[in-house]
Amino acid sequence: MVEPILPNFCCVAKGLEETAIPEIDPRLEQALSSFPGQTLTLPMGSYVLASRPNLYGTLSRERVLAECMTYLRQALDHLGLSSPPRLLLVLPDKTRTNIAAHLLLDVVLSLQTECPGLQFTVLFGLGTHPPMTEQDLEQWLEPQRYHQLKIRGISLRQQTTLAPLQPQATVEVREFPEMSASSFSALHQAITQLQGHLTAMTSPGEPLTLERYLEREQALKETTPFQTASTGPENPPASTVPLATAAQQGFSLSLPLELWQHHLTLVAGDTELHPYEVRGGSGGIHKMLAVGLADLQTIRRTHSTRILLDATSPTAEANNAFVRSLDHIIADLYQDLLHRPDSLACTIPLGLSIASLQPGCINGLWLGQAEPARQQLTRIVRHSNTVRLSQATHLVIGDADRKKGTDILAGARALQTLCEEDRGDNVLLADSPRQRVALLFNPCLETRNHGGIGNLGTKKQLDVLGQLVHECQGILQAQLSAVETFDQALTLVQARRRQILTAWTHHLLLVSDFPDFLDLLKTLIRMLRQLASINFDPQKIGEYLQSSLSNYANHYSDEGRMIHQLQAAYLSQPDLEALFYQVSNLQQAYTKMEGLGEGGQRALRLLKILQNFETFLLATDNVMVLNYLEALDPDLAPCLPAPLGSGLINQGLRFGLLGITGIDLTRHACQQALDKAIDYIEFYNSQSKNYQITFLPKPLIIKNPQTESSDLRK
């Protein structure tokens, strides 16, 4: 790893007197961020989870500007440039807050006044988001700053996977380190079981080491090698370490050439809580470079299910798989940046980040090149945003930040965070999903994201979910027409819902990490072949293969169809040797590597919500989104016998397979949307009116008092 040459600077405002974490906010009238000017009046006893922005003092903007000016002057002096400085300013897009970005621009504009020869370019890292319009840029930068940049002829450039900024440069990234076995856990479990069988059948009482496993595998290959029409005994496949995966293989990273055409790159961002980047949160150097400026294939790798599921697991640490993957990419980028012959870069990028605990305030400042040092800001952000919820809740009301409420799932981050915080040692939600309702106020503003539904990858994965729902409608409707009680209907729907969410999960895993699946499948076949050679039950061998393939064989994706073809081939000819080479040939032919697509990882957010809430209500004034949701999850109430179905219809309640319902805010007030959510709660909790409502205005770290610990003071 390239070492920083510039010092780390961090200034955090003084902590004020600690106050008790409030459980119930007495202000039951809440203004909505998602729909400015709209308010909700919550029932008495509701919880309002609010951050504690007053735990720390503030730093004046004048002081912060002065600190930044001093630091950057010294940094440029330290570089000892023989020609006027060329700076590249990398900034986030309109979906992020902009305090750090504005500070950096103002400092560099002032430096340019002092040093007329200084040149700089502004590059926005959008990731998979659509490009900003000139109106977006002017609004985000603020008119005076925007026009000053235009007058000075400063280039405002944007990198997005939808329209990559040309020209691009390529960096070879070394093979990824092993991350986790979160994806395809059933396949990993099968391999582990087979390893146990091998141990028991070959060397009773003696452990099977990796070395002995590989020795025996190689010996078996040499005595009875696989042979097919395309591969003969003279070209046996290379030996593979068990459980190794394709995600470990190296790949090419593509980035704008601008990075190599400037003496110093400065990355600005506001430190905020992030569901995956838990070490430093949003606003850091690594995430901006390896995601904001990266190509789609790199984003696919860092946002694959195997990385994101590890990053959000209950045992995930600050240095989780997502953070490690970014660190790994950045290490190779920095080497290339400094050692490419035609690169102007004199040092690795410099970061500027701030902590802002309430709008317009600066509570901490960080400047430096070592990304982990930014955790000093993260600590105060986490401290301020840690709240208490002492009673399990039934109805959660989410309020999407208007800047981030671009589409259905972009605004659902707070609900995702709540679901991930809810676990056995930190109980936040009511006992059963049947008792839970989530209401999300979300404007879904970005019309270029399929009218506010979601960008390409998000909508593609939602469409697959819709296919799964519609394929079972006929059978389910017939079953529902014969029920005698609502409980019978609910049992049928819940069972089918679990099947659909499981099938959707398998689909998401497969398209996200298809090369990994093929590697694991080959490992499984090798082990089954070894067991077959020592008279292991042939029926069990077939069962292991069928269970491994059937979960992932489908017609919703190219990858699912490929697995279906493998399954059909093995059923017609149960030959392990032939199957192994079919998988090998498939690996060589598969070059798609699309993964979940642009923004497709947000499908995991919806999966988490549907696994935790029986009913998910989306209140929006986006008619296109409302129509899409109605088609995605059709109402089954008309399919019920008249007394049951009419009872739901008369109350204005939908009975969908997924439990997703849109509430039209062009026809109903926000307060009426809340009333409708309460109707659902009372319907599903008819035997008890004792339910708890919680208002969640932003992503927060939520603690049950019984598990309250030092986390509150970190």
Side-chain angles (χ1 to χ4, degrees):
M1 181 71 178
V2 178
E3 294 296 327
I5 65 171
L6 299 176
N8 180 68
F9 174 85
C10 190
C11 178
V12 175
K14 182 179 179 181
L16 304 179
E17 183 177 353
E18 180 76 34
T19 58
I21 302 175
E23 291 190 4
I24 300 179
D25 190 315
R27 300 166 300 166
L28 295 178
E29 185 171 285
Q30 295 295 318
L32 291 174
S33 299
S34 50
F35 294 95
Q38 297 287 319
T39 61
L40 292 181
T41 301
L42 305 176
M44 290 295 296
S46 298
Y47 286 0
V48 177
L49 301 183
S51 61
R52 298 175 294 161
N54 297 322
L55 290 181
Y56 295 86
T58 60
L59 305 174
S60 69
R61 195 172 192 278
E62 293 72 20
R63 176 186 172 184
V64 172
L65 280 171
E67 296 283 10
C68 292
M69 285 286 291
T70 300
Y71 185 100
L72 288 181
R73 286 194 194 102
Q74 294 174 352
L76 293 176
D77 289 343
H78 185 78
L79 296 182
L81 299 173
S82 58
S83 58
R86 290 173 54 87
L87 306 181
L88 177 65
L89 278 54
V90 179
L91 309 179
D93 73 351
K94 66 177 183 178
T95 65
R96 302 293 188 262
T97 53
N98 51 18
I99 298 176
H102 287 180
L103 285 169
L104 179 59
L105 285 167
D106 292 346
V107 168
V108 174
L109 285 168
S110 296
L111 284 174
Q112 191 180 52
T113 302
E114 295 179 3
C115 178
L118 184 147
Q119 302 176 44
F120 70 96
T121 299
V122 176
L123 174 58
F124 293 93
L126 282 67
T128 62
H129 297 173
M132 293 184 285
T133 64
E134 285 299 317
Q135 183 179 359
D136 292 333
L137 289 169
E138 182 176 3
Q139 182 177 355
W140 194 83
L141 292 169
E142 294 180 353
Q144 183 177 356
R145 190 177 292 105
Y146 171 81
H147 290 296
Q148 189 175 3
L149 291 168
K150 287 293 187 179
I151 290 170
R152 296 196 187 190
I154 305 302
S155 297
L156 304 178
R157 313 193 71 184
Q158 302 183 58
Q159 161 63 21
T160 168
T161 58
L162 299 176
L165 181 63
Q166 300 300 330
Q168 295 266 312
T170 300
V171 176
E172 295 305 317
V173 178
R174 298 161 298 144
E175 60 184 33
F176 263 24
E178 181 63 28
M179 293 298 176
S180 74
S182 295
S183 291
F184 311 116
S185 56
L187 201 51
H188 280 274
Q189 184 178 6
I191 291 171
T192 301
Q193 291 174 348
L194 292 177
Q195 285 176 324
H197 287 307
L198 277 171
T199 301
M201 297 181 69
T202 58
S203 303
E206 183 180 350
L208 180 66
T209 65
L210 177 60
E211 290 75 17
R212 291 185 61 249
Y213 173 91
L214 293 176
E215 287 173 5
R216 190 159 59 245
E217 183 186 55
Q218 186 60 37
L220 195 58
K221 286 180 186 176
E222 292 172 356
T223 55
T224 54
F226 288 129
Q227 297 184 41
T228 66
S230 60
T231 308
E234 67 278 9
N235 295 307
S239 178
T240 304
V241 176
L243 304 187
T245 58
Q248 293 174 265
Q249 299 171 2
F251 61 94
S252 295
L253 162 69
S254 183
L255 292 162
L257 188 60
E258 296 275 9
L259 285 166
W260 286 263
Q261 295 176 330
H262 293 79
H263 297 121
L264 177 63
T265 294
L266 300 105
V267 179
D270 298 354
T271 293
E272 298 180 306
L273 297 179
H274 190 273
Y276 309 128
E277 216 298 17
V278 294
R279 179 181 66 191
S282 293
I285 306 172
H286 291 191
K287 186 171 180 291
M288 177 57 79
L289 297 180
V291 179
L293 295 184
D295 61 289
L296 182 58
Q297 297 306 325
T298 299
I299 297 175
R300 185 203 73 81
R301 284 177 166 85
T302 58
H303 288 70
S304 69
T305 54
R306 68 191 309 272
I307 287 179
L308 298 188
L309 291 176
D310 173 81
T312 57
S313 69
T315 58
E317 300 177 353
N319 194 32
N320 62 25
F322 183 74
V323 171
R324 295 199 308 276
S325 69
L326 298 189
D327 289 350
H328 185 83
I329 292 169
I330 291 300
D332 288 339
L333 169 61
Y334 284 178
Q335 288 287 347
D336 191 281
L337 192 63
L338 296 185
H339 296 104
R340 183 175 293 208
D342 57 349
S343 176
L344 294 182
C346 298
T347 184
I348 60 178
L350 171 67
L352 186 160
S353 188
I354 62 95
S356 176
L357 304 182
Q358 52 187 324
C361 292
I362 302 174
N363 306 92
L365 167 69
W366 173 78
L367 287 151
Q369 296 173 300
E371 174 72 5
R374 191 167 57 91
Q375 291 180 88
Q376 296 176 77
L377 296 187
T378 313
R379 288 191 189 97
I380 70 170
V381 172
R382 289 181 63 85
H383 187 194
S384 172
N385 286 282
T386 298
V387 299
R388 172 188 293 171
L389 182 63
S390 62
Q391 184 175 343
T393 192
H394 299 78
L395 168 59
V396 179
I397 306 164
D399 181 23
D401 184 315
R402 195 165 179 85
K403 295 189 300 298
K404 297 181 180 180
T406 53
D407 53 57
I408 295 172
L409 297 175
R413 181 179 288 184
L415 289 177
Q416 175 192 6
T417 303
L418 171 69
C419 292
E420 288 161 356
E421 290 282 339
D422 177 55
R423 53 186 184 270
D425 61 347
N426 191 47
V427 177
L428 305 175
L429 296 174
D431 294 341
S432 161
R434 176 176 177 177
Q435 301 172 301
R436 308 170 187 168
V437 174
L439 167 63
L440 176 64
F441 289 93
N442 186 352
C444 304
L445 288 170
E446 185 52 80
T447 57
R448 289 174 294 176
N449 283 356
H450 292 89
I453 296 167
N455 52 14
L456 184 61
T458 304
K459 186 175 183 299
K460 184 175 182 179
Q461 307 314 329
L462 290 178
D463 288 346
V464 170
L465 179 61
Q467 290 180 57
L468 287 164
V469 170
H470 284 270
E471 285 179 4
C472 71
Q473 289 287 303
I475 295 175
L476 184 59
Q477 289 174 5
Q479 293 173 327
L480 290 174
S481 66
V483 301
E484 297 179 357
T485 66
F486 181 75
D487 280 346
Q488 291 177 351
L490 189 60
T491 299
L492 285 172
V493 167
Q494 287 176 329
R496 187 67 69 173
R497 174 188 172 119
R498 285 192 295 270
Q499 293 173 1
I500 286 175
L501 293 183
T502 298
W504 196 41
T505 301
H506 288 151
H507 160 76
L508 295 173
L509 293 173
L510 188 70
V511 299
S512 172
D513 296 304
F514 188 60
D516 286 4
F517 179 85
L518 296 180
D519 270 345
L520 289 169
L521 184 57
K522 287 177 68 174
T523 298
L524 180 69
I525 295 170
R526 286 194 182 107
M527 300 184 76
L528 289 173
R529 180 170 167 269
Q530 283 192 311
L531 287 166
S533 72
I534 52 177
N535 299 319
F536 189 69
D537 186 350
Q539 182 177 347
K540 289 186 177 180
I541 288 177
E543 289 173 356
Y544 271 111
L545 268 178
Q546 287 303 315
S547 63
S548 300
L549 295 174
S550 61
N551 285 335
Y552 302 96
N554 61 63
H555 59 274
Y556 310 116
S557 65
D558 292 340
E559 293 82 0
R561 285 185 283 272
M562 292 175 192
I563 299 305
H564 178 75
Q565 291 170 2
L566 287 177
Q567 184 182 35
Y570 181 76
L571 286 173
S572 64
Q573 182 186 4
D575 186 334
L576 291 174
E577 298 177 2
L579 182 63
F580 182 90
Y581 275 107
Q582 287 171 346
V583 176
S584 296
N585 292 337
L586 189 55
Q587 281 181 311
Q588 296 174 8
Y590 185 78
T591 57
K592 185 178 175 184
M593 300 297 285
E594 181 180 329
L596 295 174
E598 296 168 5
Q601 74 279 357
R602 288 180 184 154
L604 297 175
R605 185 173 294 172
L606 179 61
L607 177 63
K608 180 72 69 172
I609 293 170
L610 295 181
Q611 288 172 336
N612 284 273
F613 292 94
E614 190 77 28
T615 303
F616 175 40
L617 307 176
L618 182 74
T620 185
D621 56 1
N622 187 320
V623 176
M624 185 174 291
V625 167
L626 292 166
N627 292 337
Y628 181 81
L629 293 180
E630 186 172 356
L632 177 71
D633 192 19
D635 187 8
L636 295 172
C639 304
L640 294 170
L644 300 178
S646 59
L648 287 167
I649 294 170
N650 291 339
Q651 295 181 67
L653 303 180
R654 295 178 82 254
F655 185 52
L657 186 53
L658 299 176
I660 300 176
T661 294
I663 299 179
D664 188 352
L665 294 184
T666 67
R667 300 171 54 194
H668 304 286
C670 292
Q671 187 66 43
Q672 291 176 304
L674 173 57
D675 294 340
K676 181 61 64 179
I678 293 174
D679 289 343
Y680 276 96
I681 278 291
E682 292 183 342
F683 178 80
Y684 281 108
N685 293 272
S686 57
Q687 296 180 354
S688 172
K689 298 297 183 182
N690 183 23
Y691 53 84
Q692 186 61 53
I693 299 175
T694 299
F695 182 74
L696 184 62
K698 59 186 289 190
L700 294 166
I701 301 168
I702 307 171
K703 299 293 182 183
N704 184 306
Q706 296 179 351
T707 59
E708 200 170 304
S709 68
S710 59
D711 286 346
L712 299 180
R713 298 181 177 276
K714 285 183 180 177

